[in-house]
C-alpha cells in the first residue's frame, strides 16, 4: 500500500510542477497560432485597426481578450 501511495504522490508532484498559467499575452506568431490564421491575414487585420495591440520596440503584443474580441466580430 505504501508503494502505491508513493507512486501516486510522485505523479501528483509531477503534475503540479508542470502546470502552466493560462497564456494571457501573445506575440504575433503566437497570436496567429492561437487564432488559426496566417500571418498575412493577421497582419492585415492589425493594420486595419481590427485587432488591438501594444507595440514595445519592434515587438507587437496582444492580450488574449483582444484576440477573443476579434473572433466575436
Amino acid at each position: 500500500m505504501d508503494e502505491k501511495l508513493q507512486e501516486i504522490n510522485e505523479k501528483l508532484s509531477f503534475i503540479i510542477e508542470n502546470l502552466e498559467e493560462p497564456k494571457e499575452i501573445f506575440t504575433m506568431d503566437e497570436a496567429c497560432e492561437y487564432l488559426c490564421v496566417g500571418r498575412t491575414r493577421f497582419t492585415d487585420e492589425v493594420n486595419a485597426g481590427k485587432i488591438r495591440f501594444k507595440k514595445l520596440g519592434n515587438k507587437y503584443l496582444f492580450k488574449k481578450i483582444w484576440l477573443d474580441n476579434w473572433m466575436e466580430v
Side-chain angles (χ1 to χ4, degrees):
M1 185 67 161
D2 287 331
E3 190 174 304
K4 191 69 170 170
L5 186 58
Q6 169 104 13
E7 184 181 334
I8 291 170
N9 280 334
E10 287 173 8
K11 288 181 181 181
L12 184 57
S13 293
F14 176 81
I15 291 170
I16 291 170
E17 288 173 14
N18 290 290
L19 280 176
E20 292 185 20
E21 292 289 320
K23 189 137 181 88
E24 293 295 325
I25 304 293
F26 294 81
T27 63
M28 177 93 58
D29 290 334
E30 292 169 335
C32 291
E33 185 177 331
Y34 174 69
L35 295 173
C36 299
V37 298
R39 190 174 175 106
T40 301
R41 167 80 192 279
F42 185 77
T43 302
D44 289 346
E45 295 292 302
V46 169
N47 290 336
K50 295 179 180 176
I51 300 176
R52 289 180 62 188
F53 65 91
K54 175 74 175 180
K55 190 169 181 189
L56 293 175
N58 63 349
K59 272 191 170 180
Y60 287 79
L61 299 176
F62 305 87
K63 286 186 176 183
K64 182 180 181 296
I65 192 164
W66 298 342
L67 302 173
D68 292 342
N69 286 340
W70 177 76
M71 289 295 292
E72 299 286 323
V73 174

